[in-house]
């Protein structure tokens, strides 16, 4: 009913930058919160950054000062600008849309994207 498609992942050298994008599609009226989560092999999925519809943001301590989350409400799209990347940033990054309200069906709930691989290596 609602699809999230991530893009922008890839291989980058330490100290480099990547920009991830996630677009939500479907008959969507609004999305309360959008965020990025990541999961490295052998580890639990963790929150990286979240942003509310009004622009309030929260970041994991490990990425503060390096990553910036933003969103375009008109496009139902969230972005993650990642700078000064480190090998420990390597993970599958997942997009999440929470509190999705459909323009036709009403309250729809939460949705996850399929993930995009980010690898930081020389």
């Amino acid at each position: 009913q609602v699809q999230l498609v991530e893009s922008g992942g890839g291989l980058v050298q330490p100290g480099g930058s990547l920009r991830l994008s996630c677009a939500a599609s479907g008959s969507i009226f609004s999305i309360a919160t959008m965020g990025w989560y990541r999961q490295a092999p052998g580890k639990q999925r963790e929150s990286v950054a979240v942003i509310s519809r009004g622009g309030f943001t929260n970041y994991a301590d490990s990425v503060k000062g390096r990553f910036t989350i933003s969103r375009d409400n008109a496009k139902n799209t969230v972005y993650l600008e990642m700078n000064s990347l480190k090998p420990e940033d390597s993970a599958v990054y997942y997009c999440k849309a929470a509190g999705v309200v459909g323009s036709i069906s009403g309250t729809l709930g939460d949705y996850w994207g399929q993930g995009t691989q980010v690898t930081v290596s020389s």
Side-chain angles (χ1 to χ4, degrees), residues 64-76:
K64 286 181 179 178
R66 299 189 298 120
F67 292 9
T68 302
I69 189 170
S70 61
R71 64 186 285 177
D72 185 333
N73 292 333
K75 297 181 179 180
N76 288 321

Side-chain angles (χ1 to χ4, degrees), residues 14-68:
S17 299
L18 283 174
R19 184 177 66 186
L20 306 183
S21 299
C22 172
S25 62
S27 299
I28 299 170
F29 178 75
S30 65
I31 303 173
T33 303
M34 303 188 78
W36 291 96
Y37 300 73
R38 67 187 182 188
Q39 188 167 23
K43 294 186 177 181
Q44 297 280 78
R45 186 174 299 185
E46 64 175 350
S47 175
V48 177
V50 296
I51 183 169
S52 72
R53 182 172 179 84
F56 179 83
T57 59
N58 272 313
Y59 295 92
D61 288 341
S62 59
V63 307
K64 286 181 179 178
R66 299 189 298 120
F67 292 9
T68 302

